[in-house]
Amino acid sequence: MTLATVDDYVEFCTFLRKLTGIDLSQYKRPQMERRLRTFYANKGVDNLSDAIARVRDDPSQLEPLLDRITINVSQLWRNPEQWELIQTQLLPELAESGQVRAWSAGCSYGAEAYTLATICHVAIPGARVSIQGTDIDKRMVQRARLGVFSEDDARTAPEKLMEIGFERVEEGWRAKLNLRAMARFDAGDLLQMRLRAATYDLILCRNTVIYFAEPIRDELHARLADALRPGGYLVIGSTERVSNASAVGLAMQHPFIYRKA
């Protein structure tokens, strides 16, 4: 009789889910497993079971691990062509009702939410704007609430808009008080959060689902579509797509921008 081989990746996923609530089984295994094994191989750890023991023995190792597995690449005005469309076409249309309710889903440290707040201030100054940002990484949520960004975060941001929405601080830039008043940030797992139907006029979920397994990605897009009011917009990343958009009530209006019927 032979003992079954232990799948150390599955074992590690179970451990991390219990410890942090992050469920790596929802992500595409080849990419995430490669990220993990490379991360630990560079530390001289070849087995993920041994990695579990390391994190248990030294809790300070959890933070660099989370940095490795959560995708927190962001910047102000990332994908500027999308922001131009949002500012000049989507927001004026959405603001006809007098208010815009927006959601930055997978907001990381808030660059997307504060970019949106700035262009709302410029494009629809008379509208009531509320922006919700959520992210699974509680550390990023705490950072987003501060509204502070480095010079590198602002490297491609339009200079005039930076001066309108941000002020110089020692760390680089900080969102002005009126922008911070528009936005609130909370920790939340996109796959587990309770979403109310027809809540938002605009949902930004960009560069968030690229590592999700396809069934999980499609399920999330369906949930996001349900959370949009009729006539609302879903904006996704420039390497992403909504499979069978019509089945969830969406139609592409611009590249990577969908409108709910």
Side-chain angles (χ1 to χ4, degrees):
M1 179 178 178
T2 59
L3 294 175
T5 302
V6 174
D7 187 329
D8 62 337
Y9 177 75
V10 172
E11 183 185 19
F12 189 91
C13 290
T14 301
F15 162 74
L16 192 69
R17 183 174 65 249
K18 291 179 179 178
L19 182 65
T20 67
I22 297 174
D23 188 357
L24 296 184
S25 68
Q26 308 282 7
Y27 294 78
K28 297 175 183 177
R29 175 165 177 167
Q31 291 92 328
M32 187 57 69
E33 184 173 4
R34 183 166 58 251
R35 291 173 70 87
L36 278 172
R37 293 196 185 279
T38 300
F39 175 74
Y40 280 112
N42 290 334
K43 296 178 177 293
V45 180
D46 296 325
N47 188 291
L48 292 178
S49 297
D50 295 336
I52 292 173
R54 283 204 169 197
V55 176
R56 281 178 174 155
D57 293 342
D58 182 4
S60 69
Q61 294 200 22
L62 181 59
E63 186 159 344
L65 169 62
L66 292 177
D67 285 337
R68 180 62 175 172
I69 63 175
T70 54
I71 313 303
N72 288 313
V73 177
S74 191
Q75 68 184 79
L76 297 163
W77 275 270
R78 186 179 185 184
N79 302 122
E81 67 285 349
Q82 283 191 333
W83 290 115
E84 178 69 18
L85 275 169
I86 293 169
Q87 180 174 342
T88 60
Q89 298 188 40
L90 272 58
L91 289 178
E93 175 190 334
L94 294 175
E96 289 176 0
S97 67
Q99 68 174 354
V100 173
R101 297 162 296 176
W103 178 21
S104 175
C107 66
S108 187
Y109 53 87
E112 180 177 82
Y114 288 114
T115 301
L116 178 60
T118 305
I119 65 173
C120 284
H121 176 71
V122 171
I124 50 172
R128 299 188 306 277
V129 177
S130 62
I131 301 169
Q132 179 183 13
T134 60
D135 199 273
I136 196 171
D137 191 335
K138 295 178 181 178
R139 302 165 309 151
M140 293 299 108
V141 170
Q142 292 173 348
R143 182 177 164 188
R145 288 170 179 161
L146 297 175
V148 176
F149 301 93
S150 68
E151 293 289 352
D152 189 57
D153 289 324
R155 63 188 181 275
T156 62
E159 184 176 345
K160 289 184 178 180
L161 292 178
M162 285 298 297
E163 292 174 354
I164 289 171
F166 298 80
E167 57 191 1
R168 285 281 189 181
V169 293
E170 184 177 351
E171 300 91 335
W173 298 88
R174 187 181 190 192
K176 291 182 180 178
L177 184 60
N178 62 324
L179 265 62
R180 301 202 305 274
M182 289 185 199
R184 73 181 193 275
F185 297 92
D186 298 290
D189 184 342
L190 293 178
L191 303 177
Q192 302 295 328
M193 294 171 59
R194 290 186 177 182
L195 303 179
R196 293 173 55 192
T199 299
Y200 299 102
D201 304 288
L202 175 65
I203 297 177
L204 305 173
C205 188
R206 306 186 310 156
N207 310 301
T208 301
V209 305
I210 54 176
Y211 293 102
F212 286 175
E214 287 191 12
I216 303 300
R217 177 202 66 195
D218 294 345
E219 177 188 344
L220 175 59
H221 282 152
R223 297 182 75 228
L224 296 179
D226 186 59
L228 278 174
R229 70 160 177 81
Y233 287 93
L234 170 65
V235 183
I236 64 173
S238 58
T239 61
E240 300 169 343
R241 66 187 182 92
V242 176
S243 296
N244 197 10
S246 61
V248 295
L250 298 176
M252 183 180 287
Q253 297 293 296
H254 307 282
F256 316 109
I257 298 178
Y258 296 81
R259 189 174 188 271
K260 185 170 181 178

